[in-house]
Amino acid sequence: MPPPQHGGRPLTPPPHGREATLLPPDEAGHRGSPDSTAFMCPHCEAVLSNPAAAQCDNCLRPLRQQAPVLRVVFPSGELKISVGQHLVLGRDAGQSPVASTFTQYDNVSRRHSTVWLDPSGTAWVRDEGSTNGTFVNGERLPRGVEAPLRDGDQLRLAADVTGTVQLA
Ligand SMILES: [Zn+2]
């Protein structure tokens, strides 16, 4: 398409005031989150234009990525697992630090399964030889097999209790 003809007349820019009102405010389109402090450099507190960048473009120091956290939300309680932590799920307080979440479920074994988050941010579950099984999205895991967990997966212990995996 050829450029439009202007008949030799000089182009006049629109009046300044009108132009200004047509433009959105500088920040409006860019910041959807009210939590703007999440985008600050932890070293120099500069506001980061790209929070995913490997280094701060103001002070050039490396930006630590936010550590991934695994959550499994059961009706009886929410479990939170950090990188490197292995959390045993079960009814026995001597075996599982979160036993109180499961004591009401008779079919959950005393030591039922283990969930953890590896340094790459992948979440895993392993059945610990439970009597009534560990299930991911309805599929029973063979004893001792490590199965990856993804955000939104349903983790079920025995027939009794189902948790939703949240990985962020
Ligand atoms: Zn900085």
Coordinates of all heavy atoms in Angstrom, one line a residue, residues 41-46 48 56-61 63, ligand 1:
C41 N 14.7 -4.9 43.1 CA 16.0 -5.6 43.3 C 16.3 -5.7 44.8 O 16.2 -4.7 45.5 CB 17.1 -4.7 42.7 SG 18.8 -5.3 43.1
P42 N 16.6 -6.9 45.3 CA 16.9 -7.1 46.7 C 18.1 -6.4 47.2 O 18.3 -6.2 48.4 CB 17.0 -8.6 46.9 CG 17.4 -9.1 45.5 CD 16.8 -8.1 44.5
H43 N 19.0 -6.0 46.3 CA 20.3 -5.4 46.7 C 20.2 -3.9 46.7 O 20.5 -3.2 47.7 CB 21.4 -5.8 45.7 CG 21.5 -7.3 45.5 ND1 21.9 -8.1 46.4 CD2 21.2 -8.0 44.4 CE1 21.9 -9.4 46.0 NE2 21.5 -9.3 44.7
C44 N 19.7 -3.3 45.6 CA 19.7 -1.8 45.5 C 18.3 -1.2 45.5 O 18.1 0.0 45.5 CB 20.4 -1.4 44.2 SG 19.5 -1.8 42.7
E45 N 17.3 -2.1 45.6 CA 15.9 -1.7 45.6 C 15.4 -0.9 44.4 O 14.4 -0.3 44.4 CB 15.6 -0.9 46.9 CG 15.9 -1.8 48.1 CD 15.3 -1.1 49.4 OE1 15.0 0.1 49.4 OE2 15.2 -1.9 50.4
A46 N 16.2 -1.0 43.3 CA 15.7 -0.5 42.0 C 14.5 -1.3 41.6 O 14.4 -2.5 41.8 CB 16.8 -0.6 41.0
L48 N 12.5 -3.3 39.0 CA 13.0 -4.1 37.9 C 12.1 -4.0 36.8 O 10.9 -4.3 36.9 CB 13.2 -5.5 38.3 CG 14.2 -5.7 39.5 CD1 14.2 -7.2 40.0 CD2 15.6 -5.3 39.1
C56 N 20.3 -7.6 38.0 CA 19.7 -6.3 38.1 C 20.3 -5.4 37.1 O 21.6 -5.3 37.0 CB 19.9 -5.8 39.5 SG 19.4 -4.0 39.7
D57 N 19.5 -4.7 36.3 CA 20.2 -3.8 35.3 C 20.6 -2.4 35.9 O 21.2 -1.6 35.2 CB 19.4 -3.6 34.0 CG 17.9 -3.4 34.3 OD1 17.6 -2.7 35.3 OD2 17.1 -3.9 33.5
N58 N 20.4 -2.3 37.2 CA 20.9 -1.1 37.8 C 22.2 -1.3 38.5 O 23.2 -0.7 38.2 CB 19.8 -0.6 38.8 CG 20.2 0.7 39.5 OD1 20.6 1.7 38.8 ND2 20.3 0.7 40.8
C59 N 22.3 -2.3 39.4 CA 23.5 -2.6 40.1 C 24.3 -3.8 39.6 O 25.4 -4.1 40.0 CB 23.2 -2.8 41.6 SG 22.3 -4.3 42.0
L60 N 23.7 -4.5 38.6 CA 24.3 -5.6 37.9 C 24.6 -6.8 38.8 O 25.3 -7.8 38.4 CB 25.6 -5.2 37.2 CG 25.5 -4.1 36.2 CD1 26.8 -3.8 35.6 CD2 24.4 -4.4 35.1
R61 N 24.0 -6.8 40.0 CA 24.2 -8.0 40.9 C 23.2 -9.1 40.5 O 22.1 -8.8 40.0 CB 24.1 -7.6 42.4 CG 25.4 -7.0 42.9 CD 25.3 -6.7 44.3 NE 24.6 -5.4 44.5 CZ 24.6 -4.6 45.6 NH1 25.3 -5.0 46.6 NH2 24.0 -3.5 45.6
L63 N 20.2 -11.7 40.5 CA 18.9 -11.7 41.1 C 18.6 -13.1 41.5 O 18.6 -14.0 40.6 CB 17.9 -11.1 40.2 CG 18.0 -9.7 39.8 CD1 17.0 -9.3 38.8 CD2 17.9 -8.8 41.0
Ligands
ZN1 ZN 20.1 -3.8 41.9

